[in-house]
Amino acid sequence: DLSSGINAEWPLRPGEMFIVRGECEEEVHLHQVAASTASLRSRACFVVVAPGNGEVFVWVGAKATSHSRQFAITAGNNILDNYNGAVASVTKVEEQCEPARFIMLLGGREDYGSLVGSDESHHYTPRMFIFTSTSGVFKADEVLCPHRVPNRDTQYPFIQSDLYDANQPALILVDAKYQLWLWQGWFESSSEGERTTGSSRQHFAQNKKVAMETINEYVELMMLAENPKVYPIEAGNEPTEFIALFPFWTDREDIKQQFTRDQGGIHKTKGGRRTSINTAYRLLTRTEYTLEELKQKPEGVDPSKLEEYLSEEEFKKVLGITREEFKAMKKWKQVTLKQQKGLY
């Protein structure tokens, strides 16, 4: 009985919305999500209980698999039976062909990363890899979906907690076939709100660099779709296309604010400005910066040796002496000069 797999009070209440989960009949269940068009997914099916008129909507995403469509219709009919006559009908709704009453029920149209305009089938199983570095060994461990089914596409094998419950700051690759994403976690603040030390951040930046190199090798080795787009993104600031790879999602404003504090108060809009992984790699491996750029503490630089990132010309312009003359100074004099010039 599919109703036993519904994680909500039974009977269902009008206005509730559920995504159909499971890849085989024995494991199909309904998971409640926020009743909003922002919760819709083009690669999934949903059940929405309408208030007042005894109607249950079965919403079918344009890229949903055939077995997901079948399970969704079965779910709608089972709800009809369990309501003992209180529900009068089940209405199947195709994506982008929704009646006005359905859109009104969910509070109007919101962006959810619809795939209706895509020529691709989008029938595939995403993959996820967690990058780690312990004892000097860099590894990429694949996260396997516990409910995967052999020879059948698992459209949503992962959930948000696979990212947010990982040891932070995490570096995680999500392979969505047509796009790849390098997800970056956050640095935990101390109880006093202190930032993580510069050496820890440098170590993380080095791991991030190696992760980017590994991803490029992965794309070449796996012979993925021609020129797949690869983007680095940050926790709390995920774009809609990435969020749409997960069956349900909760915005984490607390993590977004933490990133904003770490980056000197620079606020980013949701999704931010998209940067390719190759562009991000070039930025991460820069060896020269201007004084103004160094004051922003760019990712990957050693904050205790900012002067080393100045060009010869800029070094003499900023510090008033040559690099050789600086190295000949006593350490305390170097520190004093760097403080005076904003390099400490």
Side-chain angles (χ1 to χ4, degrees), residues 205-276:
Q206 178 61 28
N207 284 345
K208 188 174 178 180
K209 173 186 170 184
V210 178
M212 292 177 177
E213 294 169 348
T214 303
I215 290 171
N216 283 332
E217 292 176 5
Y218 170 80
V219 170
E220 184 176 348
L221 178 66
M222 300 301 294
M223 294 183 292
L224 301 180
E226 186 177 354
N227 297 320
K229 298 175 181 177
V230 187
Y231 298 114
I233 56 174
E234 297 172 348
N237 202 44
E238 298 90 348
T240 303
E241 301 98 307
F242 180 80
I243 291 173
L245 297 174
F246 297 82
F248 39 87
W249 190 270
T250 300
D251 285 338
R252 291 291 302 272
E253 188 64 26
D254 57 328
I255 300 302
K256 182 176 181 179
Q257 292 301 323
Q258 188 159 325
F259 264 108
T260 300
R261 289 192 299 271
D262 277 354
Q263 295 169 357
I266 299 174
H267 177 77
K268 295 182 180 179
T269 56
K270 183 176 181 180
R273 182 180 178 182
R274 199 69 54 79
T275 302
S276 73

Side-chain angles (χ1 to χ4, degrees), residues 168-242:
Q168 303 299 335
L171 287 169
I172 299 177
L173 168 64
V174 178
D175 174 3
K177 187 175 181 178
Y178 310 105
Q179 289 182 324
L180 279 69
W181 308 86
L182 176 58
W183 184 88
Q184 174 182 331
W186 63 96
F187 284 92
E188 300 281 5
S189 296
S190 68
S191 57
E192 292 78 24
E194 296 178 353
R195 292 185 63 186
T196 308
T197 61
S199 58
S200 296
R201 291 177 182 273
Q202 244 196 314
H203 178 70
F204 179 78
Q206 178 61 28
N207 284 345
K208 188 174 178 180
K209 173 186 170 184
V210 178
M212 292 177 177
E213 294 169 348
T214 303
I215 290 171
N216 283 332
E217 292 176 5
Y218 170 80
V219 170
E220 184 176 348
L221 178 66
M222 300 301 294
M223 294 183 292
L224 301 180
E226 186 177 354
N227 297 320
K229 298 175 181 177
V230 187
Y231 298 114
I233 56 174
E234 297 172 348
N237 202 44
E238 298 90 348
T240 303
E241 301 98 307
F242 180 80

